[in-house]
């Protein structure tokens, strides 16, 4: 007999690659003088571009109210401020009573999946998708994900046809599907889904009698020309539940504060009960209430966030262009979806894993392989750029040099010429000019 439950063992085995890669890279970070061979973490989608915007007047003193029990699904003040904020983001009124505040967007996804699904039931997920969905949506609920890869003509975009087909196949096979889940804006591609396509998705979900769960964590991090549209505004006859949090738009992942919005009374009641296991501290809630108290300041903060994310993306894209690395254009978020398929040492996802290990071992740059995001074909990697520009340049220059070296060796091998010993690529890279 094992000392832990089957549920616990399954959670351990299912630990997301995103989390493992993050803590490995953060254990020995790069410093140009103190640790020039250290790790550069472009695998974690942390928005480190806005930390200086949180400096200002000192936080208000701790009060007795901040130390006492509050409603475990969020204080009335914080839910009122979040409702106003989400109304501004989504152009549709949000009732504070429809909000459940929990310890991060991960917890909100876990809560809604546990409220919707019994073990063995399924959630359809258009791919490529957020790499931790399997854990967030299925880790505790016991739900399983059914990937819906895009049709060729859709590129990396949301394929409603693929979702419709996957739902129909599941019904034919006797699989009980409870929901369709997606990230909007998309992660890892950074696409802002067109409103017409989101509306079509809601219609397909309603036709099949399943709910829609939209992870809208990047709602305030859109820097491209297409504005964000919340699924709340397009629900129609579909039952829609949305998730948002402070991690990306406000650069506060360590605060672990997320929110579920649902207008379904039964799901809301279940979510409030489940919030018992994942509440946010009352002191943190008081701080976030103060953060959202001034709408003009919030508007200015988010405008600057979008400007900085856009500039950061443009710099990263220019570096990828300089090394001839293809990528999918992004409009939101913290990452670029880069195509390293031309450098795979062998076909298939085994080749992708081999290239990933080589990048880690030889450059000490952490990026995440597409297999972790259910990419439809091997070779895609998520490259995060929302950190100091000098660190991104160092990391992408290391990566670019490695790929250039591999291409040159391949060309020499084709010509039958001897090739030089591999160069070590973990030293400081020279700036691109």
């Amino acid at each position: 007999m094992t000392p832990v439950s089957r549920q616990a063992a399954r959670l351990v085995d299912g630990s997301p690659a995103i989390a493992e890669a993050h803590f490995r890279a953060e254990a020995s970070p790069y410093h140009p003088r103190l640790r020039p061979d250290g790790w550069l973490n472009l695998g974690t989608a942390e928005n480190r571009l806005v930390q200086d915007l949180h400096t200002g007047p000192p936080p208000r003193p701790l009060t007795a109210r901040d130390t006492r029990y509050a409603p475990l699904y969020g204080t009335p003040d914080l839910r009122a401020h979040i409702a106003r904020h989400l109304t501004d983001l989504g152009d549709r009124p949000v009732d504070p009573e429809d909000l459940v505040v929990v310890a991060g967007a991960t917890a909100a996804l876990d809560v809604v999946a546990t409220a919707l699904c019994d073990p063995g039931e399924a959630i359809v997920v258009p791919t490529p998708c957020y790499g931790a969905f399997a854990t967030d949506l299925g880790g505790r609920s016991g739900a399983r994900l059914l990937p819906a890869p895009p049709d060729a003509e859709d590129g990396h975009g949301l394929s409603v046809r693929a979702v419709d087909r996957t739902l129909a196949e599941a019904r034919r096979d006797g699989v009980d599907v409870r929901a369709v889940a997606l990230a909007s804006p998309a992660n890892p591609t950074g696409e802002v889904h067109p409103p017409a396509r989101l509306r079509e998705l809601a219609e397909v979900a309603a036709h099949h009698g399943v709910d829609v769960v939209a992870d809208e964590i990047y709602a305030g991090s859109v820097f491209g020309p297409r504005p964000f549209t919340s699924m709340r505004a397009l629900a129609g006859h579909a039952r829609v539940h949305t998730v948002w949090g402070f991690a990306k738009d406000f650069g506060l992942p360590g605060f672990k504060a997320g929110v579920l919005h649902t207008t379904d009374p039964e799901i809301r009641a279940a979510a409030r009960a489940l919030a018992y296991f994942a509440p946010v501290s009352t002191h943190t809630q008081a701080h976030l209430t103060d953060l959202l108290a001034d709408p003009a300041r919030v508007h200015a903060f988010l405008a600057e966030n979008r400007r900085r994310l856009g500039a950061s993306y443009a710099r990263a894209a220019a570096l990828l262009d300089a090394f001839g690395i293809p990528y999918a254009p992004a409009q939101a978020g913290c990452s670029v979806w880069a195509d390293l398929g031309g450098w795979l040492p062998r076909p298939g996802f085994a080749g992708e894993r081999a290239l990933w290990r080589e990048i880690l071992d030889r450059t000490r740059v952490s990026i995440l392989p597409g297999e972790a995001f259910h990419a439809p074909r091997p070779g895609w990697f998520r490259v995060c750029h929302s950190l100091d520009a000098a660190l991104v340049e160092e990391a992408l220059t290391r990566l670019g040099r490695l790929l250039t070296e591999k291409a040159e060796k391949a060309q020499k091998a084709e010509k039958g010429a001897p090739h030089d010993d591999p160069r070590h690529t973990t030293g400081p890279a020279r700036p691109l000019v």
Side-chain angles (χ1 to χ4, degrees), residues 254-341:
F255 277 44
K256 299 305 297 176
V259 60
L260 168 68
H261 173 266
T262 179
T263 58
D264 185 287
E266 292 184 82
I267 299 297
R268 182 174 61 242
R272 286 183 174 186
L274 288 163
Y276 178 89
F277 301 101
V280 181
S281 78
T282 49
H283 189 224
T284 298
Q285 292 190 63
H287 181 86
L288 295 174
T289 301
D290 291 345
L291 178 67
L292 295 177
D294 183 351
R297 181 181 180 276
V298 170
H299 178 81
F301 186 105
L302 293 182
E304 180 63 11
N305 174 55
R306 290 190 292 268
R307 186 195 69 79
R308 293 185 185 188
L309 281 171
S312 179
Y313 166 73
R315 287 191 297 268
L319 285 161
L320 294 172
D321 286 335
F323 285 108
I325 301 173
Y327 56 91
Q331 303 166 312
C334 301
S335 59
V336 185
W337 192 229
D339 184 5
L340 308 188

Side-chain angles (χ1 to χ4, degrees), residues 12 31 50 52 101 153 212 308 310 312 356 382 406 413 431:
V12 171
H31 186 280
V50 294
D52 63 298
V101 177
E153 57 267 32
V212 177
R308 293 185 185 188
S312 179
W356 184 37
R382 191 184 75 169
K406 288 174 65 68

